[in-house]
Every structure is written in structure tokens, then in C-alpha cells.
């Protein structure tokens, strides 16, 4: 049962409603202009506020004693969600707090879920306006455009447990992927130039990096040239001083066993000659006054308007030509959040769908390239057979966008319906004064091992021979389980069941499991418990109900859950993981 308070932002004189004359069973009238409808449909209640005037509408839901899941991607991805605090936070895709994915979906450990209608100009408040609760706020203020009348609509659905609730959310609201990404990206590591070279990347550096990868005996999915390869940002033409002959370099890299991917983005900087051409064609996003210029991390420029079919096709064709002429296999797509647009944007979409319509159009356009594409944003795009990359992680041990959030962001994306998760680079991005230490690198790689894909940029040989050998151990382990990962992806296409889940997925009534954030599942029968605390050489591990075989112990001891394994030994070269013995959790039928 969910409890809360409805209409909290209404003025006091409107808090004594009357039954609506024309719909007495399901409707309450608040004054002359505000109406609340509550209709039961199956296991759900559909609640909708309507008003012909501009008014803020607010409903607050009590977290109670439950754990809540879902919500937006965030730099401080605390778990469960009810440990997070938000203050009138706009619910759009945006750079602020790394909100690349923000589906309006929340799931409770007792088996309820909340899903907000996509047309609501939604803000959220957590643990602020309402103590120990989530407030859903409909308000016609930036970054939203004014609408006709005011509306807040959502549904609350009740099931026996969180697993059953989420499966029905997938079926009725979230959707599931229609296919899976490139399998080699699952099997072998992606090697990016970003952390290693940042902006100082060139053909010589890329070839030397590739040679090191080969010489140290590592496999690869592809090598990724990240940033500062263009003549100017958005030109989609190679800077000849850095890459004199990209096609020749690609031939050399292919001979070494590499495919090549290229960092890309939706921007065109003002210093590019192409900027004026695109502006005159109407291919750039405008704000409400017609301005097309906004700022992003690599300068000032325009943003291709992917809600304009002609602009989207131009973008596709120019990149396809780039890829063909330079033997590029695919692209790493960056940005896509609506906050990078000139504000408030004017898009070729219903006002009710703005500004998130840009993100949807962007990721749907670029996903047409091929199965190696990766994006970092999403909106109502869970059906795409495309890797969704976590936003950049910092090289830290803390919940301040560091290693712990590798796990909790994995859960957040999976439970938002984005189950084809591409974790960020091993060790994080080494921004500012952050340093990727040997210990952080190894523990990050271990935590990543049973996730869908591994990305390196800082390299094992940057540290010492022990790090090289430990890294080979875990990339080999990842490859050994890659068929299982691919199988879970294929199962997700059929059922929508997440590839990696919190451990409560296999024990949905287990109240201890509900709050465990530092362990995860691959499927129903493999439990992973990485060390994510600096300096730790042991950890407590919770095993849910069932028999679990210790895969690290040479004797493969079997434990019966539920139980805690206290101070389980996990020196630097050890990743604790367990496989289920005996009766399996029932496979989830096709949905």
C-alpha cells in the first residue's frame, strides 16, 4: 500500500473538495477550475489532475519502510532511490548531475510502481518538501514550454512483489529491446584513447597504443579514437595535421586485428564554415527567439535538429561518407541531453513532448548506423538494440560519481528499461586532480567483469606486471562468461528481464536483499560481490535464499542462504562470485 498526500501545492481554501457533479464515482472538484480523477484499471490506479488555468499541481508519495528503485541517472547514484535528495529538479535529459536517462518510473520493494505520463512538465522533489517522500510536481516553467491548461497524470500499480511489478511495468510501460548490440563488443574490451591522451591524440599515438595492446597480449573489440580528430568540431572531416591519412592508418590497424570507432557528437561549432550553411538550411535547433548558438564542453556552436527529418538525414549521410572514405567501422555518440540546446528550444514535436523529444530523435537517428553504435542518453527509447553508456565516471572511491556508482548506475539503467548497459571506462576518466591508482583500476575492472562490456583507456601496463596479469585474468573470465551475457541479452529481447539485476531479483520478498547495493546478478544464478572500498582486502557478502557455490575457493564450498558471509577474504587479485547450485529460479516466460 502506498500512502501520501495529494494536491499539496493547492491553496488552503481549495483543500475541501466536492464530488464532481458529472462523475461522482471517480472525481473530486477543487474550486471552479481544478479536478482530480482516480480510476482503477486492473492492478493500477490512474490519477489525473486537470485545470484549464496555469497552476502548479503536486502529489507527494511516502517512502514508508520500503526501498525505492528507478528514478534518474545521477552523479551521486545512491541506492535505494529514497536515499537521494532533490529540490524542484526538472525531469528532463540534462548534463546537470549526469541525468542522461530520466524515465519517470519508480518501483518499491513491496511491489508497487509509479509511472508518470510523458506529457507532464515534471519536476521532482525527494526528502525535502515531504519528509521521507517523493513529490511529483507539474509546473509550467523552464525548461518546459507553456501548455494549454495544467495536467499531472500518473498511475500507481500494485503487485505481490517488486519483481512481478517490474515485469508488468516492462510489459505495459517501459518496453524492451528489439535486438542486441554487436557481440564482439561483449566478448572483448573496447580500447579508448580518451583517458590516455585526452585532446593530444594523433595517428602516431593511436598506432603506438594499438601496438602496446597487441604486445601485452590483450584482445580487443575495437580501438576508439576519442575527441580532437576533426578540423573543427562538427565538420566530420579529419584534421590532416593529426591524421594525415586516416584510411591508411585504418588499414594498418585492421592488419593488427582492430576495428576502428570514432567519437562523435551532435554539435557544429561557430568557427566551422559549415555552421552558416546548416543555419541557413534550418538544420540547427533554435530557441524561442530564433537563436541557434549554445555552449558545450568543447566550445560554442549549434546543435543539429534531429526532430527535423532533413537535418537528421543530412547528419546520417555525412557520417556515412566519413566512415566509408576512412574505413571507420562505427561511432561512439556523445551528448544528446536536451540541456545542450539553446534554451528554451523550439523543436519539430508536440509541445507536450518537449524538450525530451530531442533526445529520442537523436538516439533513434544514430542507432541506424549499425550494431556497434553506443549512446549515452535515452528517452522512451528502451526498444533500441543499442548500448547505452553510463555518463563519465570520476576516478574516485566514493559515491561522488566514483566506483560505487558503477554498480548503482547499472541498476538504475536496467530498472529504467535500458538493459544493454555499457559501463564507463575502467578506473574512471581521471579528470582534474583525480588519479587512477593501481588498486582503483583493478577493483574497477573486477566490478565490471560480469557486466555486458569492458572499456579500457588507462591501461594495465601503466602500473606494473602484476596489474597486467590480473587484468588478463579478469578479461579472460569476462570472455569465458560472454556467451552467458549474450544469452541474457537475447533473453531480455524476449522477456524484458534485465541483464544485470540487484540481488533481490532472485529473492523479491527478502527485506535484507532489498537494500544491498554492492552485489549484483548476471541472470538468476550468478552472484557477484566486488570489493569497492579503498584498502579493503575482505568484505561482508549477503547470499539470498538457495545454495551458492563459491567459485573463488579452490574447494568450491557451497553455502546455503539466506546468510551473511562476514569478512570474506578478497585480496587485490580476487573477485568474489558465486553460482547457484541445484534448483534454479524459474526462467521468466516471454512477455
Amino acid at each position: 500500500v502506498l500512502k501520501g498526500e495529494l494536491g499539496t501545492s493547492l491553496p488552503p481554501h481549495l483543500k475541501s473538495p466536492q464530488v464532481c457533479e458529472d462523475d461522482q464515482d471517480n472525481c473530486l472538484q477543487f474550486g471552479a477550475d481544478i479536478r482530480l480523477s482516480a480510476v482503477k484499471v486492473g492492478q493500477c490506479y490512474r490519477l489525473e489532475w486537470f485545470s484549464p488555468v496555469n497552476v502548479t499541481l503536486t502529489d507527494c508519495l511516502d517512502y514508508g519502510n520500503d526501498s525505492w528503485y528507478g528514478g534518474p541517472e545521477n552523479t551521486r547514484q545512491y541506492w535505494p532511490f529514497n536515499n537521494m535528495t532533490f529540490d524542484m529538479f526538472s525531469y528532463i535529459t540534462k548534463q546537470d548531475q549526469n541525468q542522461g536517462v530520466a524515465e519517470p518510473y519508480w518501483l518499491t520493494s513491496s511491489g508497487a510502481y509509479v509511472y508518470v505520463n510523458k506529457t507532464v512538465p515534471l519536476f521532482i522533489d525527494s526528502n525535502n518538501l515531504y519528509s521521507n517522500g517523493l513529490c511529483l510536481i507539474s509546473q509550467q516553467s523552464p525548461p518546459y514550454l507553456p501548455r494549454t491548461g495544467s495536467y499531472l497524470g500518473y498511475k500507481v500499480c500494485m503487485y505481490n512483489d517488486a519483481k512481478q511489478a517490474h515485469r508488468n511495468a516492462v510489459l505495459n510501460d517501459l518496453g524492451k529491446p528489439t535486438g542486441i548490440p554487436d557481440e564482439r563488443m561483449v566478448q572483448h574490451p573496447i580500447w579508448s584513447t580518451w583517458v590516455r591522451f585526452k585532446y593530444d591524440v594523433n595517428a602516431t599515438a593511436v598506432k603506438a597504443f594499438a601496438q602496446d595492446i597487441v604486445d601485452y597480449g590483450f584482445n580487443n573489440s575495437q580501438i576508439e579514437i576519442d575527441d580532437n580528430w576533426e578540423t573543427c568540431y562538427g565538420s566530420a572531416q579529419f584534421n590532416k595535421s593529426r591524421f594525415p591519412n586516416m584510411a591508411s592508418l585504418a588499414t594498418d590497424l585492421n592488419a593488427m586485428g582492430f576495428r576502428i570507432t570514432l567519437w562523435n557528437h551532435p554539435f557544429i561549432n561557430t568557427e566551422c564554415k559549415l555552421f552558416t550553411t546548416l543555419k541557413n538550411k534550418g538544420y540547427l535547433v533554435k530557441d524561442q527567439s530564433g537563436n541557434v548558438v549554445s555552449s558545450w564542453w568543447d566550445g560554442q556552436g549549434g546543435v543539429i535538429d534531429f526532430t527535423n527529418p532533413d537535418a537528421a538525414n543530412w547528419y546520417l549521410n555525412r557520417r556515412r561518407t566519413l566512415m566509408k572514405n576512412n574505413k571507420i567501422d562505427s561511432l561512439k555518440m556523445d551528448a544528446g541531453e536536451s540541456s545542450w540546446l539553446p534554451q528554451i528550444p523550439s523543436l519539430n514535436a508536440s509541445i507536450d513532448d518537449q524538450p525530451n523529444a530531442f533526445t529520442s530523435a537523436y538516439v533513434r537517428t544514430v542507432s541506424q548506423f549499425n550494431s556497434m553504435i553506443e549512446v549515452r542518453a535515452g528517452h522512451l527509447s528502451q526498444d533500441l538494440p543499442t548500448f547505452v553508456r553510463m555518463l563519465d565516471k570520476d576516478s574516485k572511491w566514493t559515491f561522488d560519481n566514483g566506483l560505487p556508482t558503477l554498480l548503482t548506475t547499472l541498476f538504475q539503467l536496467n530498472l529504467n528499461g535500458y538493459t544493454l548497459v555499457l559501463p564507463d571506462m575502467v578506473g574512471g576518466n581521471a579528470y582534474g586532480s583525480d588519479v587512477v591508482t593501481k588498486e582503483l583500476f583493478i577493483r574497477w575492472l573486477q566490478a565490471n567483469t560480469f557486466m555486458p562490456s569492458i572499456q579500457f583507456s588507462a591501461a594495465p601496463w601503466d602500473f606494473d606486471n602484476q596489474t597486467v596479469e590480473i587484468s588478463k585474468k579478469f578479461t579472460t573470465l569476462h570472455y569465458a562468461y560472454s556467451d552467458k551475457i549474450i544469452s541474457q541479452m537475447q533473453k531480455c529481447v524476449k522477456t524484458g528481464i534485465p541483464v544485470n539485476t540487484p540481488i533481490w531479483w532472485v529473492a523479491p520478498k527478502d527485506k535484507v536483499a532489498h537494500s544491498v547495493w554492492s552485489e549484483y546478478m548476471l541472470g538468476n544464478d550468478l552472484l557477484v560481490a566486488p570489493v569497492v572500498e579503498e584498502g579493503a582486502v575482505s568484505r561482508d557478502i549477503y547470499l539470498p535464499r538457495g545454495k551458492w557455490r563459491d567459485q573463488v575457493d579452490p574447494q568450491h564450498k557451497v553455502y546455503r542462504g539466506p546468510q551473511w558471509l562476514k569478512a570474506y577474504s578478497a585480496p587485490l587479485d580476487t573477485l568474489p562470485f558465486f553460482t547457484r547450485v541445484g534448483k534454479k529460479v524459474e526462467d521468466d516466460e516471454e512477455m
Side-chain angles (χ1 to χ4, degrees):
V1 176
L2 279 185
K3 297 181 180 179
E5 184 177 347
L6 308 185
T8 61
S9 57
L10 297 179
H13 72 278
L14 291 180
K15 292 197 174 182
S16 298
Q18 304 294 318
V19 174
C20 300
E21 294 182 1
D22 56 346
D23 189 2
Q24 296 185 5
D25 292 335
N26 304 307
C27 179
L28 294 174
Q29 187 82 32
F30 297 76
D33 294 321
I34 302 174
R35 176 176 290 210
L36 170 63
S37 170
V39 179
K40 190 175 189 299
V41 181
Q43 299 288 109
C44 303
Y45 289 88
R46 192 176 301 277
L47 290 92
E48 295 181 293
W49 289 89
F50 302 92
S51 176
V53 298
N54 184 355
V55 61
T56 297
L57 301 167
T58 306
D59 285 356
C60 296
L61 305 175
D62 199 310
Y63 292 138
N65 295 319
D66 279 355
S67 294
W68 283 51
Y69 315 109
E73 186 177 7
N74 194 264
T75 49
R76 294 174 178 84
Q77 198 82 56
Y78 293 111
W79 187 267
F81 173 82
N82 36 313
N83 290 330
M84 300 178 73
T85 300
F86 294 95
D87 181 2
M88 199 60 183
F89 201 64
S90 60
Y91 213 75
I92 62 168
T93 59
K94 59 184 179 180
Q95 179 67 14
D96 186 16
Q97 298 190 32
N98 281 6
Q99 194 161 288
V101 169
E103 300 297 330
Y105 170 68
W106 289 268
L107 174 70
T108 78
S109 57
S110 62
Y113 80 80
V114 178
Y115 190 81
V116 182
N117 191 301
K118 69 173 185 175
T119 64
V120 174
L122 182 63
F123 296 80
I124 64 168
D125 187 286
S126 178
N127 293 318
N128 182 43
L129 288 175
Y130 189 89
S131 178
N132 192 44
L134 168 69
C135 294
L136 306 173
I137 305 163
S138 172
Q139 181 168 295
Q140 297 195 43
S141 60
Y144 301 103
L145 287 170
R147 292 116 194 267
T148 301
S150 300
Y151 173 71
L152 172 61
Y154 59 98
K155 65 180 181 180
V156 178
C157 302
M158 311 282 191
Y159 295 93
N160 291 330
D161 57 51
K163 180 177 180 179
Q164 186 183 66
H166 184 70
R167 291 181 61 200
N168 279 277
V170 168
L171 180 65
N172 298 313
D173 295 296
L174 297 175
K176 56 189 174 153
T178 54
I180 69 172
D182 176 78
E183 292 187 8
R184 186 169 158 185
M185 292 174 72
V186 177
Q187 296 167 334
H188 299 301
I190 299 166
W191 296 85
S192 169
T193 64
W194 174 242
V195 173
R196 197 163 194 78
F197 303 110
K198 292 293 196 296
Y199 296 100
D200 293 326
V201 65
N202 56 51
T204 301
V206 171
K207 192 170 182 179
F209 187 31
Q211 190 64 57
D212 282 344
I213 295 165
V214 173
D215 290 347
Y216 279 98
F218 284 90
N219 289 318
N220 77 86
S221 165
Q222 64 233 36
I223 193 166
E224 183 178 272
I225 300 172
D226 198 320
D227 210 320
N228 207 21
W229 56 268
E230 295 174 276
T231 55
C232 60
Y233 286 108
S235 69
Q237 294 179 330
F238 276 94
N239 182 328
K240 297 295 185 181
S241 66
R242 292 180 175 273
F243 295 91
N245 189 333
M246 184 62 221
S248 176
L249 174 61
T251 299
D252 292 342
L253 293 172
N254 291 159
M256 298 166 68
F258 290 91
R259 302 181 297 181
I260 303 102
T261 55
L262 199 60
W263 173 80
N264 229 272
H265 54 83
F267 306 105
I268 177 76
N269 275 10
T270 52
E271 65 267 23
C272 297
K273 293 181 180 179
L274 196 55
F275 172 83
T276 302
T277 301
L278 296 176
K279 178 182 177 181
N280 292 339
K281 284 179 174 287
Y283 286 1
L284 304 180
V285 176
K286 301 181 179 69
D287 66 16
Q288 297 301 303
S289 63
N291 167 61
V292 298
V293 176
S294 59
S295 297
W296 64 297
W297 66 89
D298 276 331
Q300 285 195 323
V303 185
I304 304 300
D305 186 356
F306 289 90
T307 68
N308 176 341
D310 291 338
N313 285 331
W314 173 86
Y315 188 92
L316 286 172
N317 291 334
R318 189 169 182 89
R319 269 67 188 173
R320 284 172 175 152
T321 300
L322 166 76
M323 293 162 68
K324 180 180 178 181
N325 291 344
N326 296 281
K327 299 184 178 180
I328 303 298
D329 293 285
S330 196
L331 305 174
K332 167 188 175 176
M333 303 308 306
D334 219 343
E337 300 85 9
S338 66
S339 61
W340 298 114
L341 309 178
Q343 297 296 311
I344 298 174
S346 177
L347 300 170
N348 183 31
S350 165
I351 286 178
D352 289 338
D353 293 335
Q354 298 191 38
N356 285 329
F358 173 83
T359 300
S360 296
Y362 175 58
V363 299
R364 290 191 180 281
T365 298
V366 300
S367 291
Q368 296 176 45
F369 284 115
N370 56 37
S371 64
M372 292 173 66
I373 283 291
E374 55 178 276
V375 299
R376 77 170 202 187
H379 179 67
L380 302 177
S381 50
Q382 294 96 327
D383 59 301
L384 294 175
T386 304
F387 266 129
V388 178
R389 185 178 71 256
M390 297 180 188
L391 260 77
D392 295 13
K393 296 294 182 187
D394 293 324
S395 302
K396 302 178 186 295
W397 288 94
T398 66
F399 268 98
D400 189 15
N401 203 37
L403 176 54
T405 68
L406 180 73
L407 304 180
T408 54
T409 305
L410 178 74
F411 299 150
Q412 182 271 338
L413 289 171
N414 268 277
L415 292 179
N416 268 267
Y418 295 93
T419 58
L420 308 174
V421 177
L422 181 61
D424 195 28
M425 288 171 275
V426 172
N429 285 265
Y431 288 133
S433 61
D434 289 350
V435 176
V436 183
T437 65
K438 171 182 174 178
E439 183 189 7
L440 181 63
F441 182 88
I442 291 172
R443 291 306 196 189
W444 201 298
L445 173 58
Q446 291 169 349
N448 195 157
T449 297
F450 291 101
M451 297 180 191
S453 185
I454 294 173
Q455 293 192 84
F456 286 120
S457 189
W461 53 90
D462 294 338
F463 305 98
D464 55 25
N465 289 335
Q466 183 191 32
T467 307
V468 171
E469 293 310 308
I470 292 173
S471 297
K472 286 182 180 179
K473 172 182 175 179
F474 289 107
T475 55
T476 299
L477 181 61
H478 176 85
Y479 176 72
Y481 279 87
S482 61
D483 284 348
K484 181 174 177 62
I485 296 171
I486 292 167
S487 176
Q488 287 302 130
M489 288 179 161
Q490 292 168 336
K491 182 178 177 181
C492 180
V493 171
K494 293 181 179 179
T495 67
I497 301 305
V499 175
N500 295 115
T501 65
I503 65 169
W504 59 252
W505 188 265
V506 297
K509 298 287 190 181
D510 186 334
K511 292 186 178 181
V512 175
H514 289 161
S515 60
V516 173
W517 62 265
S518 62
E519 304 172 24
Y520 67 92
M521 303 295 300
L522 173 60
N524 289 328
D525 55 6
L526 194 154
L527 183 149
V528 190
V531 174
V532 293
E533 181 182 348
E534 185 176 14
V537 291
S538 67
R539 61 157 294 167
D540 295 344
I541 299 172
Y542 184 72
L543 299 176
R545 183 179 179 181
K547 293 181 180 179
W548 298 93
R549 177 181 290 115
D550 186 340
Q551 293 293 348
V552 174
D553 181 357
Q555 304 302 315
H556 295 306
K557 183 176 179 179
V558 174
Y559 298 91
R560 183 182 293 274
Q563 69 163 297
W564 281 100
L565 305 183
K566 294 292 187 177
Y568 180 99
S569 179
L572 188 58
D573 65 347
T574 299
L575 168 64
F577 72 103
F578 302 79
T579 54
R580 188 184 295 277
V581 177
K583 184 180 179 181
K584 308 291 185 183
V585 173
E586 285 188 18
D587 285 339
D588 303 287
E589 65 270 19
E590 186 170 339
M591 297 178 66

